[in-house]
Amino acid sequence: MKKILFGLLTFTLILVLAACGSDDASGEGDSGGDGDSGDDGVQETTIKFSHVVAENTPKHQGALATKEYIEEASDGKITVEIYPNSSLFGDQDEYQNLVSNNVQFIAPDLSKFVGNNPQFNVPSLPFAFDNDAAAIAFWDGDKGQEILTSLTDDGVLGLYMWPNGGKHLTNDSNPIDSPDDLEGLKFRTQGGQVLEAIYTTLGAGSESIPFGELYTALDQGVVDGQENTFSNIESKKFDEVQDYMTVMNHTRVDYAIFTNTEFWEGMNDATREIVEAGVEAGTETARAEAKALNDGGYEIIKERGDVEIIELTTDQVQAFRDTLEPIYNEFEDEIGADVYEAVRSANEEHGGS
């Protein structure tokens, strides 16, 4: 009997040890990742990165740099799939699909989040930033980071701001060189309380239309005009369906790269270290490319010659500034005097051009 009991205990111990060994080998016990870990601890996984603009834009160049770094550093264990031009998700559904972890990275216009937090209206404040450097300094600072990380209740984490640049007006009705010239026109905007207030103040209407549908909306006269950066106007060929472009720099298009918190926290340390470094590399590229691509886009628009270009004088710009100044008082309670002060500080340190 003793021999039989000893044999049973030995057999049971072997089964327990084998099960423990199997759990250790899987590499999935503590990492929360969706793939096996190799000898270096990096999990095999596929990351989807969706955005709504064309390939020859700062955003797409940043996405490519992110992809290239992650795939090379992981020896191909991590695959990054990029979906530009709203080919996977568009303006209206990319956020919800990020919340659901159907996509792991998006880089939307920050104004898309004003319904979640009105402080995302900062890029829409009229003439708020002198240049890209000032805007970057704000979003990298304490107040900017506080805003970017304000969506965690939805399971969304903002990482870095990716600039696109100052916006300019196009329309197919008349040249615009004074606030009165917008009276009665309707413009497509990215949406948000501040942008709506800007056009109301200027006597114009505004309508939020998904970026992927904007060319058709302009062509069919759904709206008279739109506001965008040079690189977006050029790459989407909006000048083909518009007659006039006013160089304004009155508001900005700034993006940020957002991720799903379940995905982000589910990576083990070795995997997240590579992905974080990849996002940093993408951020560096997107920021470096923004001014060059906007400058290049402006030259291409001029060369194509499809629109009459109006470059405002200092006095003409000041007329717009004066007309739109009351908007700051209107939204101070929602956005915050402390945010306004952080914007001013960023301009003082990096403005002047």
Side-chain angles (χ1 to χ4, degrees), residues 233-251:
I233 293 169
E234 184 278 316
S235 63
K236 286 297 187 179
K237 296 181 170 57
F238 295 148
D239 49 319
E240 291 182 347
V241 290
Q242 300 276 266
D243 293 329
Y244 307 98
M245 182 174 75
T246 302
V247 179
M248 288 276 289
N249 267 317
H250 58 301
T251 57

Side-chain angles (χ1 to χ4, degrees), residues 27 42 47 90 99 129 162 165 172 186 204 208 238 258 297 311 324 352:
V42 177
I47 297 171
V99 171
F129 294 107
W162 288 10
D172 63 356
K186 180 184 282 189
S208 180
F238 295 148
F258 290 86
E311 294 186 343
L324 298 174

Side-chain angles (χ1 to χ4, degrees), residues 251-288:
T251 57
R252 291 184 58 86
V253 175
D254 284 326
Y255 310 121
I257 182 167
F258 290 86
T259 191
N260 175 278
T261 55
E262 180 183 354
F263 156 74
W264 192 255
E265 294 167 2
M267 292 183 286
N268 64 24
D269 291 343
T271 306
R272 186 163 53 249
E273 181 178 348
I274 290 174
V275 175
E276 284 180 345
V279 171
E280 290 173 4
T283 299
E284 183 177 344
T285 296
R287 290 177 174 182

